[in-house]
Amino acid sequence: MPTPLIDTILVAQGAEYQAVCRGLQNVESPPSVLPIPIGTAPVQRFLAKQPQLDHRSILVMGLCGSLQPSYPVGTAVLYCSVKAMIGREVGHWLCDAALTQSLQLQLPAVPLVQSWTSEQFVNSRTAKQQLRQTYGVDVVDMEGKAILTTLRTARIATLRVVSDDCQHNLPNLDRAISAEGELRLLPLVTSLMTHPVSGLRLIHGSLQGLKYLQQLTTVLFT
């Protein structure tokens, strides 16, 4: 099965970007990889300054949080749509159907899911359960809505790997994410040390998710 035609990969800057780049190291003629900030508002501001992405075929990659017990850490998921709040209403945006279908044919074992975009880091299992029950969503990230609503003329599919499950609480990392969408090292370390058990769980899940993200990138584009 030929690799779907992807012009550009968008992936969160830092460890996720590095994992995708490692996965492409031995790929002939790989797509361009563009690191993006973390969070809704920073991504919107960043992508608004990227007119070269208009009308391109884009694959969003990275990590996400699970809202379903059936999607444990290390599970790859392919988005069919993204939901998020707009004021008091729930918005719903579809990923590109043809591009998503081509990825499904390439990766038949990867489930198709609905995602929720949150403006804050969702760290409690209670909050995850409420999202699942209220909106019927399967995973959560912080960038999906911003990408789909900003790049309206691009063809966009999303392929992510679960790095935290829905059954355990995690440290709150909101203060570790700057207004520019960058991870701040000192607040991150402080949060992890303040909650050592959940902090270790977050680190372990992230490392496992990054490992699978690298492998998934290689499989898809080789």
Side-chain angles (χ1 to χ4, degrees):
M1 183 69 63
T3 301
L5 180 60
I6 302 293
D7 299 319
T8 304
I9 296 174
L10 298 183
V11 58
Q13 60 194 0
E16 295 169 66
Y17 171 76
Q18 293 166 7
V20 168
C21 289
R22 286 195 301 270
L24 294 171
Q25 280 181 346
N26 297 318
V27 175
E28 294 184 11
S29 303
S32 61
V33 185
L34 183 63
I36 61 174
I38 303 168
T40 300
V43 167
Q44 286 177 326
R45 292 193 297 268
F46 176 81
L47 293 179
K49 301 176 182 178
Q50 308 295 325
Q52 77 277 12
L53 297 178
D54 292 344
H55 307 292
R56 290 199 179 184
S57 294
I58 295 172
L59 178 60
V60 181
M61 301 189 75
L63 303 178
C64 64
S66 175
L67 304 177
Q68 297 282 5
S70 54
Y71 299 141
V73 172
T75 303
V77 293
L78 186 61
Y79 289 13
C80 63
S81 65
V82 172
K83 293 181 179 180
M85 295 301 300
I86 302 182
R88 297 182 179 180
E89 303 294 327
V90 178
H92 190 194
W93 301 270
L94 299 177
C95 296
D96 185 88
L99 189 56
T100 300
Q101 185 178 31
S102 70
L103 289 164
Q104 276 188 288
L105 293 174
Q106 183 79 0
L107 303 167
V110 175
L112 201 61
V113 301
Q114 290 197 80
S115 173
W116 181 264
T117 295
S118 173
E119 295 189 5
Q120 289 82 37
F121 182 75
V122 182
N123 66 300
S124 79
R125 60 184 181 183
T126 301
K128 288 187 174 185
Q129 182 180 18
Q130 290 175 343
L131 285 175
R132 179 177 75 244
Q133 294 177 345
T134 305
Y135 304 111
V137 285
D138 305 297
V139 297
V140 59
D141 66 47
M142 298 177 67
E143 299 85 26
K145 169 203 166 187
I147 295 170
L148 289 176
T149 56
T150 306
L151 302 179
R152 295 179 181 273
T153 60
R155 300 174 62 209
I156 299 173
T158 300
L159 180 65
R160 289 184 180 255
V161 176
V162 171
S163 61
D164 55 273
D165 62 33
C166 64
Q167 298 171 323
H168 299 92
N169 293 325
L170 298 173
N172 191 333
L173 300 186
D174 280 336
R175 292 189 177 185
I177 302 173
S178 72
E180 292 74 37
E182 299 177 344
L183 272 180
R184 301 164 62 206
L185 183 58
L186 183 56
L188 174 62
V189 172
T190 301
S191 181
L192 295 177
M193 293 181 65
T194 304
H195 304 88
V197 175
S198 58
L200 285 174
R201 183 177 293 113
L202 176 62
I203 292 171
H204 178 75
S206 297
L207 291 175
Q208 189 173 352
L210 291 168
K211 174 184 175 182
Y212 285 117
L213 179 63
Q214 178 181 336
Q215 294 174 351
L216 185 64
T217 305
T218 301
V219 167
L220 182 61
F221 290 98
T222 300

